Amino acid sequence: MSVRFSLIAALSTSNEITDEVKFAFEKAQVEANTTLFKKGVPKSVDVKEIGQLIDIKYSGNTTELKFESGTYTRAHDALFRFKKYVAPVLGSYHIGIRGIDVKKYKMTITGVPDNVRIPTLPFIESHELKNGELTLDLKVTSADLENKVPDRILKLIEEKIQSVSYGGKGEHWELVFASAPKPRLFTRDPTEEMVKRNWIRHGAARGQWIHGPQSVQLFRAFEQIVVEKIIRPLGFSEMIFPKLTPWDVWMRSGHAKGVYPEIYYVCTPKTRDPAFWEDVGDYFKVTGKVPVEMIRDKIDGPIGGLCYAQCPSFWPFVQGETLGTASLPVKVFDRSGTSHRYESGGIHGIERVDEFHRIEIVWLGTAEQTVAMADRLHEAYHHVFEEILELEWRCAKVTPWFMAQEGMVDTGKTPQTVEGGACGCGERVGTTDYEAYLPYSDNWLEFQNVSINGDKYPKGFNVKIQSGADCWSGCSGIGLERWTAAFLAQKGLDMANWPDNMKKLVGEPNEIFRFM
Ligand code: SER
Ligand code: ZN
């Protein structure tokens, strides 16, 4: 792949550029091309790759400058460097620079596969892709150039090229551990069985269940196991994380890169003045229908979405802070509410739903502390699934959840945040999924995960630790619907087949509804 940047910018000045000034201007051009633009560029780089000011056209108070470059001192960087350099030269003739008007900006990228989807952004006026050569005409202001828009567009296109070249390879999956097979006690779909026994019923919204007392007994038993065997012995403290996630959190967590197809969006009223809303209520009173289009005109936002990944909303609590050594590793968890994902066609049973319940465990500290905590969690989970739930389960290293949720495809490589950590921790960054065997479908169900997220979150939310070492974090999501689906799929709904521990914890099913 090679890249060329070409830029024409008009410099407007307070006075006309006279012949005398032109001479000084061109001296500055030579100086810039031979030394200024080469500053900071490694000697080994081909000069054709480095930005050059190749043409100047004077016309009264405006002077058009044409820059070209490869990837070093890119055309727009050269423009700003030159402006800074030439300003005092012009100043000595009592001429000030009034502004920069970007006339043309063209990017040419070669080696682009023809199935790459070219982004449709307001900055891209037109594009052409022919014989692997992509030409983009950008419509940008000088503020956009200062904001590095061309560089970001190039990075975006590189990502899209990567995703079409690796897309077919699917997600990373590497087995870490598999339990012994367990006896087959049940082979039906547990959701159907739960519905039959009125343990659950469909909620009014898509992908949503109303859990009856019996289902909740299971949830609470699982919670108790998690509290007694994992959370308390490992010293985690309970917090309450918000369940409405504003854009700022998703900008920092990286979700803003790609989570859009799965968000439940949240909007606010334009005003809470009852008069403003009166006709909406009136319309309903007369028609019996809620006027959704009318409402659309009366709301602002979306301001963000419903809780999706659970842990990102924790981070504003420590944002911008430096954590004292004594408080490390910080160990907290949240079980205060639902998570929501628009699963579209993927909905199935209680295991793939739009609204679900999860205990989310979060910890942070040094790289070593973060990795050590992940190891302790793995041990504790191992004990629970083997000795208490007696599941047929396995765990595997998979594409890190944050990469998957950002819409980044797996490239087969370890994720980006791998540097640092004296313990060789870098290699440990990523997600381990726990999967349970589902006899009724002969599939494996991911029912929870443990992740070492490296410095991604501390960086995104600007969190530091006292020692000055890199701050790392990890998280682990325990899906209660998924635990239920896994347990019931293997053990069935008759308690006679359940491990003794579970019988005791759950107690006799509390059947309070008699439907006639
Ligand atoms: N935050 C992680 C996820 O969304 C673990 O729950 O998968
Ligand atoms: Zn998490």
Side-chain angles (χ1 to χ4, degrees):
M1 204 174 96
S2 79
V3 190
R4 298 291 305 168
F5 298 88
S6 164
L7 158 68
I8 297 176
L11 217 59
S12 51
T13 46
S14 56
N15 283 310
E16 207 170 304
I17 307 287
T18 58
D19 285 343
E20 189 194 13
V21 185
K22 280 179 196 170
F23 182 75
F25 213 99
E26 279 148 33
K27 221 178 110 201
Q29 174 191 16
V30 172
E31 178 62 21
N33 283 340
T34 49
T35 49
L36 184 65
F37 296 154
K38 291 188 177 153
K39 271 198 194 131
V41 178
K43 284 248 160 14
S44 56
V45 169
D46 188 339
V47 287
K48 288 205 285 286
E49 284 295 314
I50 308 171
Q52 293 279 284
L53 170 52
I54 59 165
D55 194 27
I56 306 175
K57 282 200 179 82
Y58 307 96
S59 152
N61 288 14
T62 47
T63 306
E64 266 189 23
L65 308 173
K66 183 169 185 187
F67 295 87
E68 275 191 3
S69 77
T71 47
Y72 289 88
T73 314
R74 298 176 178 183
H76 48 283
D77 298 324
L79 164 66
F80 295 120
R81 259 193 224 186
F82 184 72
K83 180 193 161 202
K84 203 168 155 199
Y85 181 74
V86 85
V89 176
L90 295 176
S92 65
Y93 297 95
H94 306 288
I95 300 176
I97 298 174
R98 287 285 152 84
I100 298 176
D101 188 17
V102 182
K103 296 284 182 196
K104 259 194 186 145
Y105 200 112
K106 202 196 198 78
M107 253 163 83
T108 312
I109 309 169
T110 58
V112 179
D114 52 13
N115 55 343
V116 163
R117 282 168 63 113
I118 310 304
T120 47
L121 291 167
F123 305 109
I124 301 177
E125 197 160 42
S126 66
H127 72 264
E128 192 184 22
L129 177 56
K130 232 188 179 157
N131 305 324
E133 188 176 280
L134 173 65
T135 326
L136 300 171
D137 285 307
L138 304 189
K139 202 176 123 215
V140 282
T141 63
S142 86
D144 296 331
L145 296 183
E146 270 176 284
N147 203 8
K148 300 219 163 282
V149 166
D151 308 80
R152 291 174 198 235
I153 289 177
L154 175 62
K155 187 158 170 256
L156 177 65
I157 288 171
E158 284 169 345
E159 277 173 18
K160 288 186 190 285
I161 293 175
Q162 251 198 6
S163 91
V164 296
S165 353
Y166 290 96
K169 288 199 179 161
E171 304 221 322
H172 181 75
W173 191 93
E174 189 191 325
L175 185 68
V176 177
F177 171 86
S179 77
K182 300 281 147 70
R184 294 278 166 268
L185 301 168
F186 189 72
T187 51
R188 293 198 298 281
D189 180 341
T191 302
E192 285 170 14
E193 207 55 31
M194 289 173 85
V195 172
K196 246 189 239 160
R197 300 190 188 200
N198 292 318
W199 287 19
I200 51 172
R201 292 195 147 201
H202 274 293
R206 46 165 296 135
Q208 179 193 57
W209 293 96
I210 306 171
H211 292 264
Q214 307 91 324
S215 175
V216 175
Q217 281 175 280
L218 265 172
F219 274 28
R220 296 294 173 250
F222 291 143
E223 256 183 3
Q224 203 179 328
I225 294 172
V226 172
V227 168
E228 281 170 13
K229 304 294 173 188
I230 294 152
I231 280 169
R232 210 179 302 135
L234 297 183
F236 284 85
S237 303
E238 184 158 11
M239 286 182 69
I240 293 178
F241 304 166
K243 295 295 173 283
L244 191 173
T245 314
W247 297 125
D248 184 63
V249 167
W250 278 336
M251 279 156 67
R252 294 173 182 279
S253 72
H255 285 89
K257 288 185 196 161
V259 79
Y260 305 100
E262 293 184 6
I263 295 178
Y264 268 94
Y265 293 91
V266 174
C267 295
T268 47
K270 281 203 163 86
T271 151
R272 57 162 298 179
D273 172 9
F276 180 77
W277 286 95
E278 196 172 337
D279 48 354
V280 174
D282 289 349
Y283 185 93
F284 172 74
K285 287 178 198 162
V286 172
T287 65
K289 293 196 178 83
V290 174
V292 176
E293 288 307 322
M294 211 173 186
I295 293 173
R296 229 191 287 279
D297 283 342
K298 292 179 181 289
I299 53 181
D300 277 332
I303 55 168
L306 295 182
C307 171
Y308 179 93
Q310 204 158 340
C311 59
S313 326
F314 154 77
W315 286 89
F317 195 84
V318 286
Q319 188 170 331
E321 299 288 351
T322 299
L323 291 160
T325 306
S327 60
L328 302 180
V330 169
K331 295 174 283 183
V332 297
F333 74 100
D334 169 77
R335 53 171 165 181
S336 69
T338 45
S339 295
H340 300 257
R341 292 182 184 187
Y342 186 77
E343 289 283 2
S344 178
I347 298 182
H348 180 264
I350 58 161
E351 58 258 32
R352 194 163 201 100
V353 283
D354 280 28
E355 175 174 308
F356 58 98
H357 302 79
R358 166 171 56 186
I359 306 174
E360 175 89 357
I361 301 182
V362 180
W363 64 101
L364 54 147
T366 63
E368 290 79 359
Q369 286 171 327
T370 304
V371 170
M373 184 49 68
D375 287 339
R376 293 187 66 189
L377 277 168
H378 284 303
E379 274 168 38
Y381 286 134
H382 187 110
H383 172 76
V384 168
F385 303 138
E386 283 296 304
E387 316 300 332
I388 300 178
L389 300 182
E390 298 174 15
L391 289 178
E392 183 166 337
W393 64 285
R394 65 185 187 188
C395 61
K397 247 199 122 164
V398 299
T399 307
W401 64 265
F402 49 83
M403 284 179 79
Q405 294 178 6
E406 282 166 11
M408 316 259 293
V409 269
D410 181 32
T411 56
K413 284 180 249 148
T414 4
Q416 59 276 66
T417 47
V418 292
E419 292 102 45
C423 54
C425 303
E427 264 137 60
R428 298 290 308 277
V429 173
T431 293
T432 304
D433 270 353
Y434 282 70
E435 304 179 346
Y437 184 65
L438 302 178
Y440 81 91
S441 61
D442 190 28
N443 274 323
W444 291 82
L445 174 69
E446 177 205 325
F447 64 98
Q448 66 162 45
N449 60 24
V450 174
S451 300
I452 296 167
N453 301 325
D455 62 3
K456 181 186 170 68
Y457 278 81
K459 273 232 168 85
F461 290 86
N462 188 25
V463 179
K464 298 197 167 58
I465 56 178
Q466 189 184 358
S467 69
D470 278 349
C471 181
W472 275 33
S473 77
C475 71
S476 172
I478 298 166
L480 294 175
E481 279 85 353
R482 297 277 176 102
W483 274 43
T484 304
F487 182 78
L488 295 180
Q490 293 188 15
K491 311 289 177 200
L493 279 74
D494 289 323
M495 291 178 88
N497 288 329
W498 292 5
D500 286 339
N501 272 318
M502 275 300 283
K503 272 186 220 160
K504 248 183 266 145
L505 278 175
V506 176
E508 281 303 316
N510 180 14
E511 277 159 17
I512 61 170
F513 291 98
R514 294 277 177 275
F515 294 101
M516 292 304 154

